[in-house]
Amino acid sequence: MLILASTSPYRRQLLERLRLPFQCVGPGTDERPRPAEPPADLAPRLAAAKAAAVAASRPDAWVIGSDQCADLEGRILGKPGGREAAIAQLAAASGRTVDFHTAVCLRRGDRVLAAADLTRVRFRRLDAAEIARYVDAERPYDCAGSFKCEGLGIALFEAIETRDPTALVGLPLIALTGLLREAGHAVP
């Protein structure tokens, strides 16, 4: 049994690519950063916490926890939740580099396997009109950093530097497939 400890449609869609049967279970984890917690530490802590929360009630299952943190020079960019916050995030990112820390944790009972990825997104200089057009077209209100790189958001960037393009969407499949193989799953 494989369980994705998430209610994210983006993570579910990514995991479906592996063609393994799985269930989704919401972990109910508090995702707030701790006081003075560095952005690079947040994603691994939350990925492990999500996996642990679901694994506590399902000791027979392999549970996947994942989390992502957008880091703009030490400032965490969360999910904007609405238009004005999305516009403000993109204006802040304009012409700058945002680091996306994405972590995945695979857990069954006391056995824990984990990996992390760093993706750097270099935004081109964006003017207010193009930010507004993008936000109105794609409504990325549930995405850290206020964009969807798998959609129109790709037009906002100068470059993306990553080992794993799926990490930027929220679940690093290259790392996860390695963890699954290590746990005994046949992938593919």
Side-chain angles (χ1 to χ4, degrees), residues 7 24 66 74 78 101 103 113-114 119 127 144 156 165 169 171 183:
T7 57
C24 291
S66 187
H101 305 278
L113 305 170
T119 299
D127 66 37
L156 304 174
V169 183
L171 182 63

Side-chain angles (χ1 to χ4, degrees), residues 1 6-7 10 18 21 54 61 68 70 94-97 101 103 110 124 128 138 142 148 150 162 169:
M1 172 62 63
S6 178
T7 57
Y10 307 109
L18 301 183
V54 173
Q68 182 180 76
S94 176
R96 299 164 85 183
T97 297
H101 305 278
D110 291 333
R124 59 185 185 77
E138 198 147 64
D142 62 345
K148 296 179 183 180
E150 66 277 24
T162 187
V169 183

Side-chain angles (χ1 to χ4, degrees), residues 40-51:
D41 294 348
L42 180 62
R45 179 179 65 79
L46 291 179
K50 290 174 181 182

Side-chain angles (χ1 to χ4, degrees), residues 110-172:
D110 291 333
R111 186 161 181 211
V112 178
L113 305 170
D117 185 86
L118 172 64
T119 299
R120 289 208 149 112
V121 177
R122 284 195 334 251
F123 283 81
R124 59 185 185 77
R125 294 218 178 268
L126 305 168
D127 66 37
E130 62 190 338
I131 290 172
R133 282 194 311 271
Y134 169 72
V135 167
D136 291 342
E138 198 147 64
R139 305 173 64 95
Y141 307 146
D142 62 345
C143 300
S146 300
F147 65 83
K148 296 179 183 180
C149 67
E150 66 277 24
L152 183 58
I154 200 74
L156 304 174
F157 313 139
E158 287 182 354
I160 298 173
E161 300 167 15
T162 187
R163 293 180 321 209
D164 186 342
T166 60
L168 189 54
V169 183
L171 182 63

Side-chain angles (χ1 to χ4, degrees), residues 7-86:
T7 57
S8 165
Y10 307 109
R11 289 192 179 104
R12 180 185 45 76
Q13 290 169 355
L14 285 170
L15 188 55
E16 286 172 347
R17 290 186 188 183
L18 301 183
R19 300 182 183 182
L20 297 170
F22 70 94
Q23 297 175 353
C24 291
V25 175
T29 306
D30 181 357
E31 297 188 27
R32 290 177 293 191
R34 293 176 176 158
E37 182 172 31
D41 294 348
L42 180 62
R45 179 179 65 79
L46 291 179
K50 290 174 181 182
V54 173
S57 64
R58 300 295 296 272
D60 59 323
W62 283 102
V63 179
I64 302 165
S66 187
D67 201 80
Q68 182 180 76
C69 178
D71 174 1
L72 177 60
E73 299 172 1
R75 181 177 137 220
I76 295 172
L77 300 179
K79 297 174 184 173
R83 184 178 189 275
E84 296 309 313

